Amino acid sequence: MDGKNNVCRMAIDPLTTNATTLERELSWFTMVIDVRLKIYFGQECEFEDVMDVTPPPLQEDDSVYASIVNHYRMNFMERVMLVLALAPHIRPQLLDVFFTKNTNYDRGFTEFGGIKGNQHGGFLPTGETVMFILGGTDLDKRFSLLYLTDSDHFFFKHNILKMESGSSDEPFLSGALTVTKEYLSYFTTGATHKPDYSMNFPAKRITTQMEWDDLVFEERVMDEIGEVRAWIQHGRTLMEDWGLGSKIKPGYRCLFYGPPGTGKTLTACLLGKATGLDVYRIDLSMVVSKYIGETEKNLAGVFDQAENKNWILFFDEADALFGKRTATKDAHDRYANQEVAYLLQRIEDFPGVIILATNLRGNLDEAFARRFQSMIFMPAPGAEQRLKLWENAFSDKSVLEKGINLEEIAQEYKLTGGAIINVLRYCSLMALRKGTNIITHENIKIGIQKEYRKEGKPV
């Protein structure tokens, strides 16, 4: 029985099914290239055109690769372009045929396109390579194929492929054709690619081990957070099945505002955890630049990579990026205002979930308010919420000293959830330092005093 289960698991393994499908696709693509070269060089060929080489059927195929091809209803030309972009990653030697030397000029064939990588030893295709394989030297065919390179084509609009633009004074089709890391991951392992934190992607994935029940707010706030959760779970149904896509802009924009430590970041993490979405916190220190145009460029990199992913983008301390526009006194003010206008547009057009967090709502540009579906005030917790936070805080491994009255502590000390966690950390460390698991009243008071001093409050 176990052996049969293992066979079943292997049969539905995305890695295995993708590999099997791509082997067939690569064999077909090899024939397409062979036919093009034979026709081009006037050699004997059983086909009159590359379009006569029938691609393998994918309608009943269970692989991730086939599901994406079927979803977009890719035609012959689109499948050729997709496999060409994939080839350097999965079968690089397949393109070595394009290194054929033109003996008349003692160099490669210009019409094959392609570039040489810095480290990759193989042939890297360009837009010209696609045009050659599909259209040869027939200008009419080549012109009819230019739609494949249009920025509105789903390949580029949905971030499946990229065609790097070369120098402004070089032909557009000389740009390298590549598959994005996201879809390379889908087509090979079947898994979602998790981008690394870098200058090109200044965002970090954030998670929490806490659960939805650990979120402590009054009922009104929980209801408003529930609305965001409902959109994540049912937004697609609303847009597609209920036919509201023509009336409602895609995506959801939400503002969390309130004092520090009230749970804005935790709420974003829990929304992602509860709905199975990754949450990425944008590192504004790497986004905001004093140089004109750089902030837009940095942020565009984040939005472009997140465009068609099921992610929640979280902008903490958002007023650093989305602050009020100023009266235009000089060129710097004009560019700063253009920057905010650009951000407004990108946020409004983003089809996913964006959460902005700030301590003070008044610090944000007023134009943002019209673009938010939700603006949720997260106040400092009242006595009732503070008691629940204290009761949920301590580990099951610890024991409260006899005489500690959490209800009195909650009533007397106005702390946020973040501050209570800091007190918890201090008390627990002091107990472990003394070789015990007993949380003392004295250490709780010291921990509270430390938090009050941090906030500049009288102890």
Side-chain angles (χ1 to χ4, degrees), residues 163-181:
M163 199 157 77
E164 306 291 345
S165 56
S167 300
S168 58
D169 54 349
E170 292 187 6
F172 169 68
L173 292 175
S174 63
L177 177 70
T178 60
V179 63
T180 62
K181 290 182 180 180

Side-chain angles (χ1 to χ4, degrees), residues 300-313:
V302 175
F303 277 120
D304 289 346
Q305 293 189 63
E307 189 76 24
N308 294 285
K309 314 294 191 307
N310 228 4
W311 294 345
I312 295 173
L313 295 184

Side-chain angles (χ1 to χ4, degrees), residues 282-399:
I282 314 305
D283 185 345
L284 296 184
S285 68
M286 291 183 67
V287 170
V288 178
S289 173
K290 64 181 179 181
Y291 298 106
I292 292 172
E294 282 299 305
T295 299
E296 295 100 311
K297 180 182 175 182
N298 295 338
L299 197 62
V302 175
F303 277 120
D304 289 346
Q305 293 189 63
E307 189 76 24
N308 294 285
K309 314 294 191 307
N310 228 4
W311 294 345
I312 295 173
L313 295 184
F314 180 65
F315 292 85
D316 199 6
E317 299 180 358
D319 41 318
L321 188 59
F322 305 97
K324 289 184 175 180
R325 280 174 280 194
T326 59
T328 304
K329 298 177 182 177
D330 54 29
H332 184 272
D333 290 337
R334 184 166 62 254
Y335 281 114
N337 290 341
Q338 288 176 2
E339 188 176 275
V340 174
Y342 167 81
L343 299 175
L344 283 166
Q345 193 60 54
R346 286 307 302 254
I347 281 181
E348 192 165 18
D349 293 341
F350 185 68
V353 177
I354 291 180
I355 298 174
L356 272 59
T358 182
N359 296 338
L360 295 171
R361 170 181 168 180
N363 287 346
L364 291 183
D365 190 287
E366 293 176 4
F368 282 93
R370 299 192 298 272
R371 291 163 169 82
F372 288 127
Q373 278 69 52
S374 296
M375 301 182 72
I376 304 175
F377 176 54
M378 297 181 171
E384 184 179 340
Q385 286 80 45
R386 290 197 296 271
L387 176 59
K388 190 171 182 181
L389 288 167
W390 280 113
E391 289 173 341
N392 292 344
F394 294 100
S395 166
D396 293 338
K397 302 289 186 181
S398 64
V399 177

Side-chain angles (χ1 to χ4, degrees), residues 43-61:
Q43 299 171 354
E44 185 177 343
C45 182
E46 60 180 307
F47 299 100
E48 294 184 2
D49 191 89
V50 293
M51 300 285 286
D52 296 333
V53 185
T54 305
L58 296 177
Q59 287 77 12
E60 304 299 323
D61 196 306

Side-chain angles (χ1 to χ4, degrees), residues 6-7 10 87 100 155 159-160 185 194 226 254 256 355 439 455:
N6 286 336
V7 171
M10 286 178 63
T100 302
F155 274 151
N159 203 39
I160 299 171
S185 183
K194 309 287 186 186
C254 183
F256 294 166
I355 298 174
I439 305 297
E455 297 175 19

